[in-house]
Amino acid sequence: MIKFFESAPFSPVGYCYEIENILYKGKSRFQEIAVLESPDFGRMLLLDGTVQMTEADEFFYHEMLTHPVMHANPAPRKVIVIGGGDGGVVREVLKHESVQKVYLVEIDEKVIEISRKFFPSVSSGLDDPRVEIRPMDGAEFVRKTPRGDIDVIIVDSTDIIGFARSLYTKNFFSAVKDCLSGDGFFVTHSESLIYHKETVRKVQQILKESFPSVDLYTATIATYPGNLWAFAVGSVSLDPREARRKFEIQTRYYDDEIHAQSFVTPKFYRKLMDDKLDWGLPARIA
Ligand code: SAM
């Protein structure tokens, strides 16, 4: 057994895992990519030394990033997934029978290749005829997408550093809003509500400059430092808290009860969003 210490530059903590094997380690044009084998978490995908997903708990994150907004939309036909090169979000999107087209806009094709090879259960949807893979920057793709054409846009990016930063700007959010249909939704992860409060707050504020209404829900992701993971939602017109279709898809974490409960956030978050209040916690875990 090898002890592997995760490098999580974005968080004040990093985890240590027991590893049986290093199945792959290489560099793409964009990042270092590794696949480790752990007795506790199964295969693990790392980018630049940070855990992106594990076989054991990837469904927590992929289901919770996908299904709340997919269920809040009456009949999502066209969907854009930005990042998400492992294929997990695409797999979940395809479970909705109204879906006719999914664009997977992943800047690094090598991630898709590695996921196909080492994570067949996660990348299983990538060969579905409804899926179109576009290896490019998500912000550039959205800028070129016709207005009002897309029902749901999901950002499943790495941490908000480096080339992922282009997905968290005012320009990007307003370009997203322009290409969404009248009852469209946008969702992106916005890091940990425990360790990255200022980031969570800033993403909500920037979203508010482009969307008539924004909201936030959370889910517990054991293998992401900080665990209480925030998902920021931008809505063109509808309330994301209302699931508008019967719940009939195969899931292991998400269901209609979780949908409702996930929008209930801790009291400090509500204070956090009120600029006037001092919610006094050490800045370091801001
Ligand atoms: N679920 C993981 C998480 O939340 O940490 C993310 C997994 S997925 C592998 C993250 C992907 O986002 C990476 O493959 C990365 O190449 C991609 N990505 C980052 N910035 C991007 C951008 N600007 N456009 C398209 N893809 C991007």
Side-chain angles (χ1 to χ4, degrees):
M1 286 291 187
I2 322 160
K3 285 236 180 279
F4 166 75
F5 290 86
E6 175 185 23
S7 123
F10 206 73
S11 291
V13 296
Y15 293 157
C16 170
Y17 294 93
E18 286 222 311
I19 298 299
E20 279 163 337
N21 243 328
I22 299 176
L23 299 177
Y24 174 81
K25 197 161 189 269
K27 246 180 157 349
S28 74
R29 278 195 304 136
F30 296 93
Q31 50 213 332
E32 188 190 274
I33 306 173
V35 179
L36 308 181
E37 192 146 42
S38 131
D40 308 300
F41 294 91
R43 290 183 175 179
M44 306 171 74
L45 173 68
L46 287 86
L47 296 179
D48 286 340
T50 303
V51 172
Q52 302 295 310
M53 64 153 183
T54 82
E55 281 180 320
D57 72 344
E58 55 85 5
F59 68 94
F60 283 56
Y61 172 83
H62 290 132
E63 288 183 17
M64 284 308 289
L65 179 54
T66 308
H67 298 306
V69 291
M70 289 295 285
H71 266 105
N73 187 292
R77 299 156 298 106
K78 283 191 187 176
V79 178
I80 297 178
V81 176
I82 296 174
D86 49 56
V89 169
V90 167
R91 178 195 66 198
E92 294 304 316
V93 165
L94 293 171
K95 289 179 181 174
H96 294 259
E97 58 186 35
S98 61
V99 169
Q100 297 159 4
K101 184 82 181 172
V102 190
Y103 296 98
L104 174 61
V105 188
E106 164 58 64
I107 202 166
D108 190 348
E109 278 185 294
K110 190 76 183 166
V111 173
I112 297 174
E113 179 198 317
I114 295 300
S115 186
R116 284 183 191 277
K117 183 168 178 197
F118 293 101
F119 299 92
S121 65
V122 180
S123 58
S124 54
L126 294 182
D127 293 324
D128 186 294
R130 292 171 287 175
V131 177
E132 184 175 330
I133 295 174
R134 305 295 288 272
M136 62 192 287
D137 171 67
E140 194 194 327
F141 181 80
V142 161
R143 274 198 299 277
K144 294 179 177 157
T145 299
R147 294 172 75 96
D149 191 37
I150 306 293
D151 299 305
V152 173
I153 298 179
I154 300 171
V155 166
D156 175 17
S157 76
T158 36
D159 284 322
I160 313 175
I161 42 181
F163 49 83
R165 293 175 68 94
S166 68
L167 307 175
Y168 289 85
T169 65
K170 178 170 173 9
N171 287 347
F172 173 68
F173 290 155
S174 64
V176 163
K177 161 70 173 58
D178 288 346
C179 62
L180 282 171
S181 54
D183 49 15
F185 284 104
F186 168 69
V187 63
T188 183
H189 83 82
S190 51
E191 306 287 358
S192 158
L193 194 50
I194 308 295
Y195 290 147
H196 308 112
K197 289 183 197 64
E198 264 317 294
T199 304
V200 171
R201 187 161 78 127
K202 265 195 211 115
V203 171
Q204 296 300 114
Q205 284 169 338
I206 303 172
L207 263 181
K208 263 190 203 138
E209 294 168 27
S210 302
F211 281 88
S213 74
V214 301
D215 209 332
L216 181 118
Y217 63 91
T218 61
T220 313
I221 314 290
T223 44
Y224 289 172
N227 310 123
L228 184 61
W229 221 250
F231 298 89
V233 180
S235 314
V236 176
S237 62
L238 300 177
D239 177 354
R241 298 183 182 214
E242 201 190 312
R244 282 178 185 75
R245 274 178 298 120
K246 255 178 7 23
F247 174 71
E248 0 177 80
I249 51 174
Q250 269 301 320
T251 52
R252 290 179 282 171
Y253 184 106
Y254 172 86
D255 66 10
D256 34 7
E257 284 176 64
I258 286 278
H259 185 118
Q261 166 267 329
S262 65
F263 283 90
V264 177
T265 45
K267 196 172 157 193
F268 75 78
Y269 169 73
R270 297 193 288 276
K271 284 174 71 178
L272 176 71
M273 294 316 286
D274 176 344
D275 289 336
K276 297 178 290 302
L277 285 175
D278 163 19
W279 41 280
L281 273 168
R284 183 65 187 90
I285 55 172

